[in-house]
Amino acid sequence: MTVSSLLFRVGAMTVQRAKTVLFAWIGLLIVTVATMFALGGTLTNDFTIPGTEGQKGIDVLAERFPEMSGTSGQVVFGVPEGEDIRDHQSEITRILDQVRELKDVRQVADPFDDSIMDPIISDNDRYAMSQVQFTFGLDSIDQEQVDKLVAIATAGENDGMTVHVGGQIMSLTEIPLSPLEAAGVLLALIVLAVAFRSFISASVPIISALLGVGIAMTAVMILSAFVPISTTTPTLAIMLGLAVGIDYALFIVSRHRDQLAEGLSVAESIPRAIATSGGAVLFAGTTVVIALAALVVANIPFLSIMGLCAAFAVAVAALFAVTGLPAILSLLGNRLRPARRLRESDDDAASSRAVPPSGASHWWVSVVTSHPWLTIVSVTALVAIMTVPAVNLRIALPDNGVEDESTMARQTYDLVAEEFGEGANGPLVVIGDIITSHDPLGLMEDLKNDILSMRNVDRVQLATPNRTADLGVVVIIPREGPEAVSTENLVHDLRSAAPQWEEKYGMSEIMVTGSNAVGIDVSERLLHALLPFGLVVVGLSLVLLLIVFRSVWVSIKATLGYLFSVGAAFGMTTLVFIDGWGNDLLLIGQVGPVISFMPIILMGVLFGLAMDYEVFLVSRIREDYVHTGDALESIRSGFRASAPVVVAAALIMISVFSGFIPNGSFYVQPIAFGLAVGVAVDAFLVRMTLVPAVLQILGERAWHIPHWLDKQLPTFDVEGAGMNHRFKHLEWQRRFGAVVARATDVTVADRHGEIISGATVAIHPGEIVKLRGAPLATEAFLNVLGARMRPTDGIVFVFDTSATDESSRVVSRTPFLTERSIELTASQQPRLILVNRPLRPREVQLIRENCDRGGAVVLGPSAGTIGDKVTEYAVPTAIREEVLV
């Protein structure tokens, strides 16, 4: 059974049980919401990778120097200008003593104590900073304890001080959403209303997407109760779920409305829409899911979880589109039917095709295909210009410096950078095994001096052995902030110097760690993962498109177009977020490296979306080419038919993604912006401009595929072409009467040539058909009718079932009597009995009974005849005589 036939049955079943299906989806949403609140999952911003040097160092500290492990916080005390913070030492000490009493606090640094480390007091003597170390990690922040710390610390404001609390403990643990995301959905609703000219029809894709997103998001939150999930993960799932959910529903609703306009009933139209557009939706959804799930190739746990959760959201959107959406369409009934019925008679249709096409789509494709080389050069040059800024693309793991300026976390970050140096927000930690040293304190002092002499080091805050004097720790404050290139270079310099220090001081296992070093390790691992992930995506793109379009050139062209879109998205994201162009205009409010996983997420999502637009546009062009054989005119006719839906789908995507950009989370903003740019470039420059121009130049060659490759590739009916054949078959029966079997333009060939050439026959209930012709041809035709052999070309239906798409069902109703078969048995079900051997007396009686029930019989040359009412059919063949022998 093909996907399209299965979807047709699902659509038909949903129409019959619309309320039950819809209530089941709503019930699932209620259950997931209730479970989410019952489990109380929490989110984190713990972006770590096991196995990196930075993470190994964190693990060593947790085991051998626990006072420096866990999640840290900063408490900054300040006094007005002209005062000295030391005058408030007693009040600060009292507050810090209270902080030490909190159950999860492991260590509190006294900013005035110089016995172990340098005092942490600003140069102007107005500020003092204490580091508070908690026992919990970033993946399990106890918000209650953080709130208590803030309450205790801010009590110092009653003593005439300002108090700011920041650091890792203030990491965002909520989904960063704002009303502007709703504005993006509202824009999508406006686009739909314009496309459908109906508010009710426009509302359906929005409702469909919201239901799917609700289930996906609550499921992700349930999962967060068991595994660490970042705050970016549900936001990404919401963004993608909304975008693809609306688009997928748009394709199906658009097809449904077109069919209603042609005069189909609601019950007829819904299964057809699901079998055709629903197949394309499943293909598009599958490509996005595969691309996102392929993020596991990077072997980075948090990225794998992010990709799988986003893939789950897309899968739910696609599944709801082919199951829940039909229920909504069924309940709305004729309220979605366009006001003007567009059904035409054949004469009307013929006359309408004679009218010269017009409209924006026709004008655009005419311009593009009239000057194809100019179009290709222009698009390539424009995309190249958009891609050039990508050479400056820098990635990093954002910290509190990207939070909103109104938050305490951001205010503390800025205050620390201003008063204690930018590097104070991202100290580096060098650790090493000093168990063989006889003078651990002297060794640490010498190591401190060596580090101080290195470039990009501002100061060494701490250099000490642990309590058992077997591990040395040096805390380094870089000259610039965590995201600076100089800080990244310092990490590499420290690691390069490690072998020399191990030899010089007798140390071993020297590692550079700390949250800043871990972030740099994560960024570098993600950067290195881009190439293998890109190869997987590009390779997958080529294979999928070869299967769908059976064309080498179309596959190569589409894959190159995807790379164009990715390059332009990278370039424009760099221009806005790193170079700062238009940053304030878009209400981004932050200039600096984009989040580390933006490039790989962008590549994965754009792959799926690019395949989506390619399928919807090019499949219609190919369909017209198959019907007409005119490669050049098919470009124009196919483009005119599919362009409006592609434009609406792209505008919806851009609207949804744009809602996550202004005043949004800096974790999500570059991803949303890159996707919006990528979709715009892919839809309008690549698919709707470059693709027609390239196809115009290729002409007939666009649809060529080597025969050997065609035989190796599986068949995937994306838009339900097989079901379209079935619909046409049913329409034929309405006009000419019911048939048991019908073959149209059937051709069978082998390596020697054609065995059957264009066989067309209709076998009616009760009819006995006697085949004439070459034995090889008649034998092959019997096998084709019984679905034992797949024709090279043509269409065969038996009891309204496709012999090529649902061969097992046809085989069950077509007993084939040959010299090797057993005797025919009785059956109450009408059958198409195929015979190519002499019949036995009882079999003749069973055949007559079968014909009386509405079945039919096809006799081969070896079967003889049954009675006088036999219809003869000569099987056409073009095969050479010597081959037949």
Side-chain angles (χ1 to χ4, degrees), residues 49 294-301 303-304 525-526 529-530 532-533 600:
I49 304 178
L295 291 173
V296 300
V297 171
N299 196 28
I300 299 172
L303 185 64
S304 299
R525 177 73 71 85
L526 285 165
L530 275 180
F533 179 73
I600 201 167

Side-chain angles (χ1 to χ4, degrees), residues 786-817:
R788 274 78 171 178
M789 176 186 292
R790 188 180 185 91
T792 306
D793 197 8
I795 302 166
V796 179
F797 280 93
V798 178
F799 293 108
D800 301 334
T801 302
S802 171
T804 52
D805 293 342
E806 299 181 78
S807 58
S808 60
R809 294 186 66 203
V810 172
V811 168
S812 68
R813 297 193 67 176
T814 55
F816 194 177
L817 306 183

Side-chain angles (χ1 to χ4, degrees), residues 156-378:
E157 294 175 351
N158 297 327
D159 297 317
M161 295 184 293
T162 60
V163 181
H164 293 81
V165 180
Q168 295 174 320
I169 59 170
M170 303 299 285
S171 297
L172 183 67
T173 57
E174 299 176 350
I175 301 175
L177 295 177
S178 71
L180 287 173
E181 283 79 18
V185 177
L186 180 61
L187 281 175
L189 179 62
I190 294 172
V191 172
L192 288 166
V194 171
F196 289 141
R197 296 181 174 86
S198 165
F199 181 76
I200 294 177
S201 299
S203 302
V204 172
I206 302 294
I207 294 170
S208 173
L210 290 175
L211 281 171
V213 164
I215 293 171
M217 190 193 71
T218 50
V220 170
M221 293 303 297
I222 290 171
L223 184 63
S224 70
F226 304 98
V227 297
I229 291 182
S230 72
T231 56
T232 310
T233 299
T235 309
L236 183 64
I238 292 171
M239 182 169 65
L240 293 180
L242 278 176
V244 302
I246 296 173
D247 261 14
Y248 294 165
L250 163 67
F251 296 135
I252 293 174
V253 173
S254 178
R255 176 66 69 100
H256 176 55
R257 280 171 51 85
D258 287 346
Q259 292 171 169
L260 291 178
E262 292 170 0
L264 291 181
S265 69
V266 173
E268 287 179 306
S269 176
I270 293 173
R272 291 191 180 198
I274 299 303
T276 52
S277 293
V281 163
L282 282 186
F283 175 81
T286 300
T287 57
V288 179
V289 167
I290 291 173
L292 289 169
L295 291 173
V296 300
V297 171
N299 196 28
I300 299 172
F302 76 82
L303 185 64
S304 299
I305 293 173
M306 189 179 298
L308 292 174
C309 288
F312 175 73
V314 173
V316 171
L319 186 61
F320 187 87
V322 297
T323 56
L325 177 60
I328 297 175
L329 299 179
S330 178
L331 293 174
L332 288 173
N334 284 310
R335 278 173 285 188
L336 298 182
R337 189 183 297 274
R340 184 169 62 92
R341 290 170 62 93
L342 301 177
R343 189 176 182 118
E344 302 172 326
S345 66
D346 290 344
D347 293 338
D348 293 335
S351 63
S352 68
R353 285 193 293 269
V355 177
S358 60
S361 297
H362 172 70
W363 174 82
W364 182 252
V365 73
S366 298
V367 170
V368 167
T369 54
S370 297
H371 306 88
W373 283 111
L374 178 61
T375 300
I376 292 172
V377 172
S378 300

Side-chain angles (χ1 to χ4, degrees), residues 26-64:
I26 295 174
L28 178 60
L29 176 61
I30 293 171
V31 169
T32 55
V33 170
T35 306
M36 176 185 71
F37 283 112
L39 293 176
T42 57
L43 303 174
T44 74
N45 270 327
D46 181 19
F47 301 111
T48 57
I49 304 178
T52 60
E53 180 174 325
Q55 187 58 44
K56 288 178 181 177
I58 294 290
D59 296 338
V60 170
L61 283 173
E63 180 182 352
R64 300 171 63 183

